[in-house]
Amino acid sequence: MKPRTFPPVKPLHLREYVLLIAALFSMVAFSIDSIMPALPEIASTMVPEDVNRAQLLISSFVIGAGAGQLIFGPLSDTIGRRYSLALGMILYMLAAFAALWAQSLEALLFWRFVQGAGAAGPRTCGMAMTRDLYEGRQMARVNSMAFTFFVLVPAIAPLIGQWVVLGFGWRHMFTTYILMAIAILTWFLLRQPETLPPERRRPLSPRPTFEAFAIVMKTRVTLIYMAVITFAFAQLMAFISSAQQIFVDVLGTGTKFPLYFALITVFSAASGMLNAQLVMRIGMRRLAQAGFAAQTVLAGITLMYWYVYEPQGVTALIIFCLWATTLFFLNGLSFGNLNALAIQPLGHVAGTASAIIGALPTVTAIAIAAPIGLSFNGTPLPLMIGVTICSGLALAIMRLDRYNNS
């Protein structure tokens, strides 16, 4: 009997694929940013004695997303990207339903952790699918184009969150998450074929998984860029954790906070498309390095200015918004490139590699970002100090790969 052969994967048109990947990645961003307007109400309802603890709803979700990648990465190498992604989406929806009825902050934190673990499915499988279909600078270009649309999610997420909270109450944020997941999963199952053929799949057992893990951890380039991603993500999560308190308590924006957050992210959306154009000529590493160098300088200057002059009112709002826009813009020149650089040598274990590249930096970044957020003292200075240090360390670590021209 002749062995069965499988036809090559016919990928979606590039535009639809980029939009689909952006939607899959957006589940994490939307789940993080949309809950920010609900934090004061959740805090007053569940922990009125320590309102800063409500920030942990962001950290618990992100930690869950990091841990979940260690499950869905190897799983996607075994049963394929489609089934793994669908399982993650189902877990995400079940956790959101449970969180809808949570009666304590501890229960809410637990279900947010599980929800984050479910969101790891689309994130990890989406990254692995892109590695299945593209490589090198073309992969970075696809990631950058997806980032252009993905960045619109943080822009509108707080607006949607505030609308839901004011109109229906904070609990129905979790209803919104369920409806969003149903829509994206339906689109994915109807349009995206499997990208991992059976002959390339790895058995799901401890030995192959540990072997793949060992391959990743022995790849020097990957370790370098995992460390860089850690500091890049840490500074972004520190900003997100602190944003609501800074805009409302320090800058006095009140219910207009989501509008200012939207303006910051919309203006920075062009970075993804700019990177997609420049990366083919300049290279991934040079663009990311330039981004960290610029942010180290800009954050340091803003920090010193704020410390010396202590701006107030409209002046403070303008300065902070301008600096925050540069933070998001320069991240757009970094994240797609850093992930591509990290996973580039690991196509043969892309699922497990994408899981580790996502999980370890994510969990470590939260360990860095959470203390920065919790150190909020009525000024943005702790955040600015944290960003300056993180960008500087990321830039220094990139120097360890100085001979890479990718």
Side-chain angles (χ1 to χ4, degrees), residues 36-37 158 162 243-244 247-248 253-262:
M36 286 194 292
Q162 182 165 280
Q244 191 272 336
F247 273 102
V248 175
T253 59
T255 56
K256 293 182 180 179
F257 153 62
L259 295 176
Y260 287 103
F261 196 86

Side-chain angles (χ1 to χ4, degrees), residues 27-378:
M27 291 187 63
V28 173
F30 184 82
S31 301
I32 293 171
D33 297 334
S34 62
I35 206 168
M36 286 194 292
L39 294 180
E41 188 173 336
I42 295 173
S44 64
T45 302
M46 294 188 167
V47 282
E49 72 285 355
D50 188 5
V51 294
N52 270 2
R53 287 182 62 200
Q55 286 188 17
L56 298 176
L57 289 171
I58 294 175
S59 299
S60 61
F61 180 92
V62 176
I63 292 172
Q69 291 177 69
L70 296 175
I71 298 172
F72 287 103
L75 188 65
S76 73
D77 280 342
T78 300
I79 65 174
R81 315 306 187 200
R82 277 170 57 89
Y83 287 126
S84 300
L85 189 146
L87 287 174
M89 297 282 257
I90 292 170
L91 180 61
Y92 174 93
M93 289 186 280
L94 290 174
F97 182 79
L100 180 63
W101 304 101
Q103 297 301 310
S104 67
L105 182 65
E106 289 73 21
L108 198 55
L109 289 172
F110 173 77
W111 290 116
R112 282 283 287 177
F113 173 86
V114 177
Q115 190 187 15
R123 193 271 180 199
T124 305
C125 296
M127 187 174 173
M129 285 192 302
T130 301
R131 182 60 186 86
D132 291 339
L133 298 172
Y134 304 98
E135 62 180 19
R137 294 185 180 184
Q138 183 65 12
M139 181 172 59
R141 178 170 177 264
V142 171
N143 286 340
S144 296
M145 293 170 67
F147 181 84
T148 302
F149 297 99
F150 162 82
V151 79
L152 297 176
V153 174
I156 64 173
L159 289 170
I160 294 174
Q162 182 165 280
W163 176 75
V164 172
V165 170
L166 293 178
F168 305 95
W170 66 264
R171 290 189 180 275
H172 284 288
M173 279 309 311
F174 295 98
T175 305
T176 305
Y177 298 145
I178 294 170
L179 295 175
M180 176 191 66
I182 290 173
I184 295 175
L185 179 59
T186 301
W187 178 17
F188 172 79
L189 292 177
L190 289 176
R191 296 292 296 157
Q192 175 60 46
E194 177 60 64
T195 61
L196 185 68
E199 63 269 18
R200 287 180 50 203
R201 297 181 187 180
R202 302 168 63 89
L204 185 62
S205 64
R207 182 175 179 180
T209 300
F210 284 125
E211 287 176 353
F213 184 86
I215 291 171
V216 173
M217 299 307 290
K218 290 179 181 178
T219 305
R220 181 177 180 272
V221 169
T222 299
L223 293 178
I224 288 173
Y225 289 104
M226 283 171 60
V228 176
I229 292 169
T230 296
F231 288 108
F233 191 58
Q235 64 185 11
L236 192 61
M237 288 308 304
F239 179 90
I240 291 172
S241 297
S242 307
Q244 191 272 336
Q245 288 177 299
I246 291 175
F247 273 102
V248 175
D249 298 343
V250 180
L251 304 176
T253 59
T255 56
K256 293 182 180 179
F257 153 62
L259 295 176
Y260 287 103
F261 196 86
L263 287 173
I264 289 169
T265 52
V266 166
F267 279 125
S268 62
S271 64
M273 193 59 69
L274 177 64
N275 187 71
Q277 298 298 319
L278 295 178
V279 72
M280 303 302 289
R281 298 198 301 267
I282 299 176
M284 297 179 282
R285 180 180 172 278
R286 289 178 181 175
L287 279 174
Q289 192 171 21
F292 288 123
Q295 188 51 241
T296 303
V297 173
L298 290 171
I301 291 173
T302 308
L303 168 63
M304 289 187 290
Y305 178 86
W306 206 286
Y307 180 78
V308 173
Y309 295 102
E310 299 181 356
Q312 303 292 323
V314 176
T315 302
L317 180 60
I318 291 173
I319 291 173
F320 186 81
C321 286
L322 288 174
W323 171 66
T325 301
T326 67
L327 177 61
F328 276 80
F329 185 91
L330 294 171
N331 272 323
L333 294 179
S334 303
F335 274 118
N337 298 331
L338 295 174
N339 279 287
L341 285 163
I343 202 173
Q344 173 62 25
L346 302 168
H348 54 304
V349 287
T352 302
S354 66
I356 297 170
I357 292 167
L360 295 186
T362 296
V363 174
T364 309
I366 290 298
I368 298 170
I372 298 173
L374 292 174
S375 66
F376 173 72
N377 61 355

